[in-house]
């Protein structure tokens, strides 16, 4: 595809996404209406699966466009046994919102539909906000440090939201995704944090700790995922114009140390320190893995150019 056609492809991709979303949005609102009108047990039995199916069809169509039209190639390395009757916790690094679709490309209809912790403001996104609400996505406030200094009573709000969400997820097989960095990696954020990692921001342990506390005995596995892009992490316009190329996902199974299944992260300092050390070690391994992928990508580029 010639460079001059990229902007046109980007416009066509955005228009196609809008029309496709509006079309499926009709079926989504019908499912949501059933959910609101039916009593709890019937809603769980009939309306909730309808919402999940509409969301799955939307994702499947978008992934088809990304792979066939935009030529995005997902290279997945794993030996996991994935099936729909599992409780799973996926942890991953976070560079681009395309990370979400990379994970969906691997897990769609192989694991229960992914549940993300997302910013509270996103509930107002047309159609998508309703879908996230109907899928029981936890909405997080994500207050800044400055805000929390003025309103210290809000400090534990997101962790309480995590706890309540995990209690709800205990009713049926669920896949929870946690981007431990809490936000997308950018050079500015990396410098601001003085991150000790070359390719990562500092991990936040609270969310994953509460998920393990609430569902640790139910989780069949933790799926540790490392996501790597050729070149810089793409933004939405890059994706729409077909400039993403190859996305590599390395996935491995991790066991939850028994100590952490019954820890008290909030009140026990020893538990909290031990868990943070464990997460830090995982992040050091992931940083080294990303460095190896970066070097491999650079070597492949030199071979092609030669």
């Amino acid at each position: 595809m010639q460079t001059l056609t990229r902007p046109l492809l980007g416009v066509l991709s955005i228009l196609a996404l809008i029309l496709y979303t509006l079309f499926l949005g009709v079926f989504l609102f019908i499912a949501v209406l059933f959910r609101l009108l039916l009593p709890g047990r019937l809603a769980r039995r009939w309306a909730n699966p309808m919402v999940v199916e509409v969301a799955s069809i939307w994702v499947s169509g978008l992934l088809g466009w990304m792979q066939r039209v935009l030529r995005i190639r997902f290279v997945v390395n794993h030996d996991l046994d994935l099936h729909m009757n599992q409780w799973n916790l996926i942890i991953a690094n976070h560079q681009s919102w395309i990370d979400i679709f990379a994970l969906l490309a691997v897990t769609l209809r192989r694991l229960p539909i992914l549940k993300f912790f997302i910013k509270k403001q996103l509930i107002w996104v047309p159609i998508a906000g309703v879908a996230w609400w109907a899928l029981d996505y936890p909405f997080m406030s994500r207050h800044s440090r400055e805000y929390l200094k003025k309103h210290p009573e809000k400090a534990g709000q997101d962790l309480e939201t995590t706890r309540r969400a995990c209690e709800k997820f205990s009713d049926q097989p669920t896949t929870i995704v946690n981007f431990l960095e809490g936000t997308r990696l950018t050079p500015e954020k990396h410098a601001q944090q003085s991150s000790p990692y070359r390719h990562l921001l500092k991990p936040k342990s609270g969310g994953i700790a509460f998920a393990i506390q609430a569902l640790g005995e139910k989780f069949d596995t933790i799926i540790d995922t490392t996501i790597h892009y050729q070149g810089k992490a793409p933004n939405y316009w890059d994706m729409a114009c077909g400039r993403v190329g190859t996305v590599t996902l390395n996935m491995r199974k991790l066991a939850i140390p028994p100590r952490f299944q019954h820890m008290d992260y909030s009140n026990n300092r020893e538990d909290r320190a031990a868990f943070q050390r464990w997460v830090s070690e995982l992040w050091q391994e992931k940083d080294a893995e990303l460095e190896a992928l970066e070097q491999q990508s650079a070597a492949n580029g030199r071979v092609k150019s030669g």
Side-chain angles (χ1 to χ4, degrees), residues 119-248:
K119 294 179 181 179
K120 191 173 183 179
Q121 297 88 333
L122 294 179
I123 197 172
W124 302 112
V125 175
I127 302 180
V130 175
W132 293 327
W133 170 83
L135 289 167
D136 292 319
Y137 279 29
F139 289 94
M140 316 297 281
S141 298
R142 304 278 175 84
H143 299 304
S144 66
R145 288 185 179 181
E146 291 73 19
Y147 180 88
L148 290 176
K149 287 180 180 178
K150 296 179 180 178
H151 304 276
E153 72 280 3
K154 301 287 187 179
Q157 189 177 65
D158 281 353
L159 293 179
E160 178 62 20
T161 300
T162 302
R163 186 189 64 78
R164 291 198 305 267
C166 289
E167 288 178 354
K168 184 182 296 185
F169 295 158
S170 67
D171 293 337
Q172 60 183 359
T174 303
T175 303
I176 299 173
V177 178
N178 193 311
F179 294 114
L180 267 64
E181 292 156 296
T183 185
R184 291 188 298 273
L185 170 70
T186 65
E188 294 77 19
K189 294 173 185 175
H190 190 274
Q192 186 179 23
Q193 281 191 357
S194 298
S195 175
Y197 309 101
R198 184 169 182 179
H199 303 283
L200 299 163
L201 298 177
K202 295 177 181 178
K204 299 180 179 180
S205 304
I208 182 179
F210 272 75
I212 290 174
Q213 279 184 225
L215 292 172
E217 293 183 350
K218 281 186 173 290
F219 284 134
D220 293 274
T221 187
I222 291 180
I223 300 175
D224 179 31
T225 304
T226 301
I227 304 173
H228 177 264
Y229 295 92
Q230 290 180 320
K232 71 179 184 68
N235 56 32
Y236 178 80
W237 181 244
D238 291 329
M239 187 212 71
C241 294
R243 297 192 185 111
V244 175
T246 299
V247 185
T248 301

Side-chain angles (χ1 to χ4, degrees), residues 58-71 74:
W58 183 83
V59 170
S60 181
L62 186 54
L63 287 173
W65 180 274
M66 293 170 71
Q67 292 172 302
R68 294 181 179 87
V69 179
L70 303 179
R71 302 298 182 186
F74 297 106

Side-chain angles (χ1 to χ4, degrees), residues 263-277:
M263 66 178 169
D264 184 355
Y265 184 86
S266 295
N267 302 308
N268 188 309
R269 291 184 179 180
E270 291 184 2
D271 282 351
R272 184 164 59 250
F275 188 78
Q276 289 174 347
R277 283 195 301 271

Side-chain angles (χ1 to χ4, degrees), residues 33-48:
L33 183 61
F34 278 123
R35 172 171 169 159
L36 292 172
L37 294 178
L38 292 175
R41 181 178 297 178
L42 289 178
R44 287 192 297 271
R45 184 174 180 181
W46 299 104
N48 289 2

